């Protein structure tokens, strides 16, 4: 037997390598068409009964009766599994709602019943199978007080910027009916936070707009019914809606809505061991601490998380799970008797405010609003105007008030500052509780300060001397100012109490406005006018840190400031720098987002694997790839042939030229005369003939 030549073998291997991609795509197309695609399209219930797809209910009944009569006449060959499939198909396709859901959306939520019954009656006679197999359900959410929307009023509902939570359900779905209790709880938890509605699958237009779709454009309920979608705030089209893909439970849906849709911060739980180091010690000193005691350990509701976001600049919230064995500890620490309870912790040294019982959302928000400020407010860039402690602003008493005061406790964060804040809170309470109608209370050492505080001409506040170092150094001008202001350079911390008198002079203000209207200004005039409109005088307290003495000093300062003609001195006060806020961790973590993205990618791949167009598409790709390879190889083969022909032609021309040169050399060597031409020398017998018009000698 002759051996195969090496050239033929190498030629075949090169052809196979060239056509490897088309062959692979062709095999993949055949595998998809013959194995994967049939698994994605199992036998339909119409095929079980021998009825054409989307046949009428009457056609289904006729087919079922024909099969039943055949089985009654000859029941020996009947198997329980076949009877169960036929009976199930008949019950499903004769129920109008179930048939609609099956025809339009391929919903068959009771299919698992057939598998259970086949196992149960595997060894029994089919006559012992109890019918009907399915229990019809009629679910009407409007009778339960839920709001339903249709395609006619859908657009009119989206008038405000509130988010929406929408449930897609079927009136004949048992799963939708079972989810009604959880939906009721979800609606209650979202009260005041989001709008809610329900859409029945009979509204095909609206369901098609809201539901997920396959690659073929067919509506898909990947996780069955009910299906939940959400519109984030300011979202009014389906392009920005978010689908819920988790487990259908109250906790899962509300947590998903609050985290993914609303992007609200989480409110974590702490124990008695972690409350102080991980919460109380980490909350910024300018924020109120709110502790919520829970009996159940449930997640924070969306309304609580929304409040945590809305009051982020004022308060920090946390939860504590109530345990009876810790009851004595919480009573001794915070005077909490039982749960549920709400504890408000404000300034250092102040007694916490405790609210027992569980109220509604309005009750909770009212308490937060009433207690969002510290008793002794912090002077910062966001509160200076509101407190009346800004030379560019006005008094809390109104624009007409010419003279007002601000008593500021200045210092770095330290134990000494906390003690002085506690003292200033007592001073503020004493001024607030001062009764001018009482004869015994008409103390000249208290009345001026109490009256100014009552009339909102005197404000008490505290300032972080380290964060607001420029502002602090501007007012504390002494050799020991570094003990109060700026970065801590020594273990010494000395808080100081300052009183700032603000005064607005109508005449001076008019002159300032008049000067500012004149143009142009010189450099000296511009610098002189770049000052605050209100004059300031500052006095530092150097007495004992006792409440009566501080009040007496404040009254003296107010009395002198109101009665004496003090100089009108204006200056440019340094700007208060923004306080560093506590970072708000809201939204879905990056790791969860990555997992969700991979899940969506896998679902999309599965959708393509179930797309009947993929087989022909792959086959067409294989043909196009094979044609491209053939065309490329044909061009590659033709190119060398043309190159060979051209080279042989060039070589022939070169040979002809060489032969001509050799012939001329041979003739010259023999002395032969070359043929005459116009370029040759003049012949010997040539005669020049002159024209008739030429000159003669």
């Amino acid at each position: 037997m002759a051996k195969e030549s090496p050239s033929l073998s190498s030629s075949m291997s090169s052809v196979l390598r060239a056509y490897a991609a088309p062959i692979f795509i062709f095999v993949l197309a055949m595998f998809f068409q013959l194995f994967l695609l049939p698994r994605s399209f199992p036998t339909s219930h119409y095929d079980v009964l021998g009825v054409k797809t989307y046949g009428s209910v009457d056609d289904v009944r006729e087919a079922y009766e024909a099969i039943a009569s055949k089985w009654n006449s000859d029941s020996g060959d009947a198997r329980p599994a076949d009877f169960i499939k036929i009976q199930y198909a008949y019950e499903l396709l004769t129920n109008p709602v179930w048939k609609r859901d099956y025809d339009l959306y391929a919903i068959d939520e009771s299919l698992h019943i057939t598998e259970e019954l086949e196992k149960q009656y595997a060894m029994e006679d089919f006559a012992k199978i109890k019918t009907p197999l399915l229990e019809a359900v009629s679910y009407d959410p409007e009778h339960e007080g839920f709001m339903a929307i249709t395609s006619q009023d859908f657009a009119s509902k989206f008038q405000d910027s509130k988010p929406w939570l929408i449930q897609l359900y079927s009136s004949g779905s048992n799963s939708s009916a079972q989810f009604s209790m959880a939906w009721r709880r979800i609606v209650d938890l979202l009260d005041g936070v989001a709008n809610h509605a329900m859409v029945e699958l009979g509204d095909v237009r609206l369901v098609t707009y809201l539901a997920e779709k396959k690659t073929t454009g067919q509506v898909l309920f990947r996780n069955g019914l009910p299906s939940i979608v959400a519109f984030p705030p300011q979202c009014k089209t389906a392009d920005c809606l978010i689908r819920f893909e988790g487990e259908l439970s109250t906790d899962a849906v509300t947590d998903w809505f609050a985290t993914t849709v609303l992007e609200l911060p989480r409110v974590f739980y702490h124990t008695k061991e972690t409350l102080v180091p991980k919460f109380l010690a980490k909350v910024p000193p300018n924020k109120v601490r709110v502790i919520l005691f829970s009996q159940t350990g449930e997640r924070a509701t969306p309304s609580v998380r929304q409040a945590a976001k809305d009051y982020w600049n004022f308060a920090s919230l946390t939860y504590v799970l109530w345990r009876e064995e810790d009851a004595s500890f919480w009573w001794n620490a915070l005077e909490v008797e039982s749960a549920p309870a709400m504890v408000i912790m404000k300034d250092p040294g102040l007694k916490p405010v405790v609210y027992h019982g569980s109220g509604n959302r309005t009750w909770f928000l009212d308490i937060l609003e009433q207690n969002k400020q510290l008793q002794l407010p912090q002077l910062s860039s966001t509160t200076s105007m509101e407190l009346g402690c800004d030379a560019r602003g006005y008094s809390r008493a109104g624009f007409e008030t010419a003279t007002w005061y601000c008593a500021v406790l200045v210092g770095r964060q330290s134990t000494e500052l906390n003690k002085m804040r506690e003292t200033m809170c007592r001073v503020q309470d004493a001024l607030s509780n001062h009764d001018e109608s009482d004869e015994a209370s008409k103390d000249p050492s208290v009345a001026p300060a109490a009256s100014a505080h009552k009339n909102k001409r005197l404000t008490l506040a505290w300032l972080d001397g380290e964060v607001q170092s420029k502002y602090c150094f501007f007012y504390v001008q002494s050799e020991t100012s570094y003990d109060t202001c700026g970065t801590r350079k020594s273990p010494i911390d000395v808080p100081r109490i300052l009183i700032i008198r603000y005064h607005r002079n109508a005449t001076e203000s008019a002159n300032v406005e008049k000067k500012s209207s004149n143009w142009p200004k010189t450099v000296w005039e511009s610098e002189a006018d770049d000052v605050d409109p209100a004059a300031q005088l500052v006095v530092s307290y150097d007495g004992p840190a006792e409440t009566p003495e501080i009040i007496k000093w404040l009254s003296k300062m107010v009395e002198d400031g109101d009665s004496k003609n003090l100089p009108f001195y204006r200056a440019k006060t340094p700007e208060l720098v923004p306080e560093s806020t506590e970072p708000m961790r809201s939204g879905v973590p990056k790791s969860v987002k990555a997992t969700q993205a991979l899940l969506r990618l896998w679902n999309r791949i599965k959708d393509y694997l179930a797309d009947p167009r993929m087989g022909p598409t792959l086959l067409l790709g294989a043909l196009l790839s094979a044609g491209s390879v053939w065309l490329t190889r044909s061009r590659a083969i033709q190119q060398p042939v043309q190159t060979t022909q051209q080279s042989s032609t060039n070589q022939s021309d070169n040979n002809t030229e060489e032969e001509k040169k050799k012939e001329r050399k041979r003739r010259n060597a023999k002395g032969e005369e070359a043929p005459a031409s116009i370029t040759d020398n003049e012949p010997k017998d040539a005669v020049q003939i002159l024209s008739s018009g030429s000159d003669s000698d």
Side-chain angles (χ1 to χ4, degrees), residues 396-428:
R396 292 189 301 133
F399 295 161
E400 302 299 327
T401 303
T403 305
W404 69 97
Y405 306 87
C406 190
V408 184
L409 170 64
V410 184
R412 287 189 290 260
Q413 294 294 332
S414 60
T415 306
E416 292 79 4
L417 179 64
N418 290 339
K419 291 180 179 178
M420 286 302 298
R421 285 176 62 184
E422 184 178 352
T423 302
M424 291 298 288
C425 286
R426 290 196 295 268
V427 171
Q428 185 170 252

Side-chain angles (χ1 to χ4, degrees), residues 425-478:
C425 286
R426 290 196 295 268
V427 171
Q428 185 170 252
D429 289 341
L431 296 178
S432 301
N433 298 328
H434 181 75
D435 188 2
E436 296 181 354
S437 61
D438 188 1
E439 293 293 334
S441 299
K442 292 182 179 180
D443 187 351
S445 63
V446 180
S451 177
H453 185 265
K454 180 179 180 181
N455 297 330
K456 297 183 179 180
R457 291 198 308 120
L458 173 61
T459 302
L460 278 67
W462 70 277
L463 179 78
D464 191 328
E466 183 175 4
V467 176
Q468 308 293 347
S469 58
K470 291 184 178 180
Y471 193 89
C472 181
F473 282 122
F474 178 77
Y475 288 108
V476 184
Q477 298 181 5
S478 65

Side-chain angles (χ1 to χ4, degrees), residues 314-587:
F314 303 97
S316 293
L317 282 69
T318 189
Y319 268 97
V320 170
L321 179 61
W322 177 265
R323 293 187 176 93
E324 290 298 330
E325 56 269 24
D326 298 333
S328 60
F329 173 83
W330 295 120
W331 170 254
N332 295 328
L334 302 173
E335 296 187 0
V336 177
E337 297 179 356
S338 61
M342 180 177 179
V343 179
I344 309 291
M345 300 180 67
K346 293 187 176 183
D347 303 71
L350 294 185
K351 184 179 179 181
V353 182
V354 182
Y355 298 87
H356 286 95
S358 60
N360 55 19
R361 176 175 176 270
T362 304
W363 173 82
F364 175 71
L365 294 180
D366 287 343
I367 292 178
L368 281 183
E369 183 65 25
Q370 295 170 9
N371 297 276
K372 69 177 183 179
Q373 295 286 2
L374 297 172
Q375 185 168 341
L376 184 68
Q378 182 186 17
L379 179 59
S380 64
S381 58
T382 57
T383 62
S384 60
M385 288 291 185
E386 180 183 355
L387 296 175
C389 299
D390 197 315
R392 295 180 298 273
Y394 294 87
S395 168
R396 292 189 301 133
F399 295 161
E400 302 299 327
T401 303
T403 305
W404 69 97
Y405 306 87
C406 190
V408 184
L409 170 64
V410 184
R412 287 189 290 260
Q413 294 294 332
S414 60
T415 306
E416 292 79 4
L417 179 64
N418 290 339
K419 291 180 179 178
M420 286 302 298
R421 285 176 62 184
E422 184 178 352
T423 302
M424 291 298 288
C425 286
R426 290 196 295 268
V427 171
Q428 185 170 252
D429 289 341
L431 296 178
S432 301
N433 298 328
H434 181 75
D435 188 2
E436 296 181 354
S437 61
D438 188 1
E439 293 293 334
S441 299
K442 292 182 179 180
D443 187 351
S445 63
V446 180
S451 177
H453 185 265
K454 180 179 180 181
N455 297 330
K456 297 183 179 180
R457 291 198 308 120
L458 173 61
T459 302
L460 278 67
W462 70 277
L463 179 78
D464 191 328
E466 183 175 4
V467 176
Q468 308 293 347
S469 58
K470 291 184 178 180
Y471 193 89
C472 181
F473 282 122
F474 178 77
Y475 288 108
V476 184
Q477 298 181 5
S478 65
E479 296 179 356
T480 59
S481 58
Y482 283 96
D483 296 340
T484 305
C485 308
T487 306
R488 182 179 285 104
K489 297 181 179 180
S490 65
I492 302 175
D493 288 300
V494 182
R496 301 172 187 267
I497 302 175
L498 310 175
I499 185 168
I500 308 170
R501 175 186 181 268
Y502 299 97
H503 181 69
R504 279 182 175 267
N505 189 308
T507 304
E508 291 289 339
S509 299
N511 293 335
V512 170
E513 294 179 0
K514 184 177 180 180
K515 289 180 180 180
S516 63
S517 62
N518 295 331
W519 187 265
K521 296 180 179 180
T522 66
V523 176
W524 312 109
E525 289 175 340
S526 299
E527 291 182 356
D529 292 340
D530 190 20
V531 294
D532 298 328
Q536 302 179 74
L537 290 177
V538 183
V539 180
S540 177
Y541 176 70
D542 56 0
E546 298 178 1
T547 303
E549 295 298 325
I550 296 175
I551 294 176
K552 185 185 298 185
W553 174 75
L554 290 175
S555 296
K556 177 62 175 175
M557 294 298 102
V558 171
E559 184 178 10
D560 291 346
D562 291 344
S563 60
K564 294 182 179 181
N565 187 16
L566 301 176
F568 189 83
Y569 174 75
R570 295 187 300 131
K572 180 64 176 178
T573 308
E575 296 284 344
L576 288 164
V577 299
E579 299 279 344
S580 58
T581 57
E582 185 182 5
M584 182 186 298
R585 297 180 178 88
S586 59

